[in-house]
Amino acid sequence: MTLKRTPLFDTHVALGARMVEFGGWEMPVQYTGILDEHRAVRTAAGLFDIDHMGQIEVTGRDALAFAQHLLSSDISQLDLNQAKYAVMCYADGTIVDDTFVYHLPSNKRSQPSKYMVVVNASNKEKDFAWMTAQRTRFKVQLRDVSDLFYMLAFQGPKAEQVLQKLESFDLSKIKYHHARQFGIGKERGIVARTGYTGEDGFELFVPTSHGKHVWDAILEAGKDEGVKPIGLGARDSLRFEAKMVLYGHEISSHTNPIEAGLAWACDLNKDFIGRDCILKRKLEGVYRKLVGIEMMARGIARQGYEIVKDGETVGNITSGMFSPTFEKNLALGYVTPELAAIGTELQVVVRGNPLHAKVVKTPFYANRAKTK
């Protein structure tokens, strides 16, 4: 299979990045090392190339009604230039993908707004096909606009300070999960106070032809502030510490949002695909719950490793690694509800050896985004 590359591929190689396959793309996994990059984001700021992610535009007379039917969150509550996390589900309540949906102004006078659904890279074709199949009774148009926008993420406590050097608008006025038009030099785009690292910061959508210019401008503006390019390795460890679920790990087509701890993203007072099965699971209880696990014995719990209690398998690890912030071996995994209480002692089978572990409070790292 030929791997896809973002337009910044050569830039990453020139910066010394180690490139790996991810979701059909050849992407930078690290530049100076995952620990170094992780700590740079927690203490300064880091710039991520996330152009492999997909953006699907929803327009037309029934755009809002379709988005409400398709997504778990109440999209009708979004003001213009506001964004929201939402889950897209199958009829049985399992998950097609997790998304961020943006309510954006339209250039058409007859249709003053549109919705842009940002989806995971490896799911884009599947998501577009699913959305297309669901639109039959709605007057909407769907368009894959992924090639029109270059998507970057700039995350960390110094992100606002550094980006402000390039933008005349007062960025502190952009509230959490809000967006606005912006300009870096002559380049126009959208800047949103969103992200997936547990830090304050921004995600930027710029014309694809200008992605490298914006990338270079941000790194130059932040060179004396500790800003670094960040690979997918640290992106994973950052989201993991903040217990931000990842498709293919914590969530999948076999996961109900309630067991993944995503009840907050499901507005069950409105109708949407999968709503009845999600409500049933909420009312009747789940068969398993996603919990945080700390390894008490030496060993790293990786995805797929068995979780054991008294010699019996009671669940599986979904993500696990050495936490750069807490310098502990931590993990996320599913266990039966009666074993989900904080402090419950378990074992995780690492290379055939059951190692002592216990359930701990999550998120491991509290979200530091400016939520007001």
Side-chain angles (χ1 to χ4, degrees):
M1 181 179 70
T2 302
L3 297 178
K4 292 178 279 189
R5 295 175 172 177
T6 73
L8 283 177
F9 175 86
D10 290 340
T11 300
H12 299 315
V13 173
L15 288 169
R18 184 161 71 87
M19 309 300 289
V20 298
E21 189 277 335
F22 179 81
W25 293 75
E26 194 169 8
M27 298 295 293
V29 66
Q30 62 180 22
Y31 301 83
T32 57
I34 293 174
L35 295 182
D36 180 63
E37 294 165 32
H38 182 109
R39 288 165 179 155
V41 175
R42 291 279 185 248
T43 59
L47 184 61
F48 305 74
D49 179 1
I50 53 171
D51 194 50
H52 57 310
M53 298 189 71
Q55 298 99 42
I56 299 170
E57 183 183 82
V58 182
T59 58
R61 190 188 72 182
D62 296 337
L64 173 58
F66 178 67
Q68 286 284 73
H69 175 67
L70 188 74
L71 300 169
S72 62
S73 294
D74 188 355
I75 307 304
S76 70
Q77 299 300 310
L78 289 182
D79 294 329
L80 268 180
N81 292 313
Q82 192 173 5
K84 199 168 191 177
Y85 180 86
V87 183
M88 185 158 59
C89 292
Y90 295 108
D92 66 357
T94 59
I95 298 174
V96 180
D97 203 359
D98 64 330
T99 73
F100 248 95
V101 56
Y102 293 76
H103 186 199
L104 298 173
S106 167
N107 295 326
K108 294 182 179 179
R109 182 174 298 179
S110 59
Q111 298 166 11
S113 64
K114 61 185 177 184
Y115 297 90
M116 183 171 71
V117 183
V118 177
V119 301
N120 285 297
S122 58
N123 288 339
K124 189 184 75 170
E125 284 74 22
K126 178 190 73 172
D127 292 351
F128 191 81
W130 173 255
M131 293 170 71
T132 300
Q134 309 313 311
R135 70 173 179 176
T136 52
R137 63 185 176 90
F138 297 93
K139 293 187 178 301
V140 295
Q141 293 80 49
L142 302 179
R143 187 167 65 130
D144 181 355
V145 294
S146 307
D147 290 339
L148 301 181
F149 292 107
Y150 207 100
M151 192 170 176
L152 300 171
F154 188 40
Q155 303 279 296
K158 292 186 179 180
E160 180 182 293
Q161 168 193 334
V162 171
L163 195 61
Q164 192 66 75
K165 296 179 183 179
L166 304 171
E167 167 62 52
S168 57
F169 177 79
D170 184 358
L171 291 169
S172 69
K173 293 183 178 179
I174 302 179
K175 297 179 181 177
Y176 187 53
H177 284 184
H178 282 69
R180 63 161 284 131
Q181 304 288 318
F182 84 108
I184 293 180
K186 295 181 180 179
E187 278 62 88
R188 304 301 302 174
I190 299 168
V191 57
R193 196 167 218 121
T194 54
Y196 222 61
T197 62
E199 296 296 336
D200 185 35
F202 303 93
E203 291 179 319
L204 301 100
F205 304 84
V206 299
T208 295
S209 58
H210 299 149
K212 181 169 178 6
H213 174 242
V214 175
W215 170 275
D216 290 342
I218 292 175
L219 289 182
E220 176 65 21
K223 66 180 181 181
D224 295 328
E225 306 290 346
V227 172
K228 295 185 175 185
I230 309 297
L232 294 181
R235 183 170 171 81
D236 188 43
S237 58
L238 290 158
R239 71 90 197 162
F240 163 77
E241 287 184 344
K243 201 191 177 186
M244 293 173 165
V245 299
L246 181 63
Y247 199 90
H249 288 254
E250 285 71 43
I251 57 174
S252 72
S253 59
H254 301 289
T255 311
N256 186 292
I258 301 299
E259 59 191 16
L262 295 176
W264 59 271
C266 299
D267 291 305
L268 297 173
N269 292 323
K270 63 138 188 167
D271 192 23
F272 62 92
I273 299 172
R275 180 256 186 193
D276 291 348
C277 290
I278 295 171
L279 177 61
K280 176 180 173 68
R281 192 56 49 228
K282 183 175 183 179
L283 294 176
E284 297 182 357
V286 296
Y287 302 113
R288 58 178 188 162
K289 293 182 71 173
L290 184 66
V291 298
I293 293 172
E294 179 179 343
M295 297 299 293
M296 307 308 293
R298 189 173 181 178
I300 297 179
R302 303 291 189 189
Q303 184 185 21
Y305 284 9
E306 289 181 77
I307 303 171
V308 173
K309 178 71 173 176
D310 298 330
E312 181 181 348
T313 299
V314 294
N316 291 93
I317 298 295
T318 56
S319 298
M321 63 187 72
F322 173 76
S323 163
T325 301
F326 300 103
E327 299 186 339
K328 297 177 180 177
N329 291 332
L330 301 172
L332 296 171
Y334 283 102
V335 297
T336 52
E338 59 270 20
L339 298 176
I342 293 171
T344 301
E345 297 197 350
L346 303 163
Q347 295 86 44
V348 176
V349 181
V350 179
R351 296 191 180 93
N353 298 312
L355 302 182
H356 184 203
K358 70 175 181 180
V359 177
V360 295
K361 183 180 179 182
T362 56
F364 307 120
Y365 186 85
N367 192 346
R368 296 172 67 187
K370 293 182 178 178
T371 56
K372 293 183 179 179

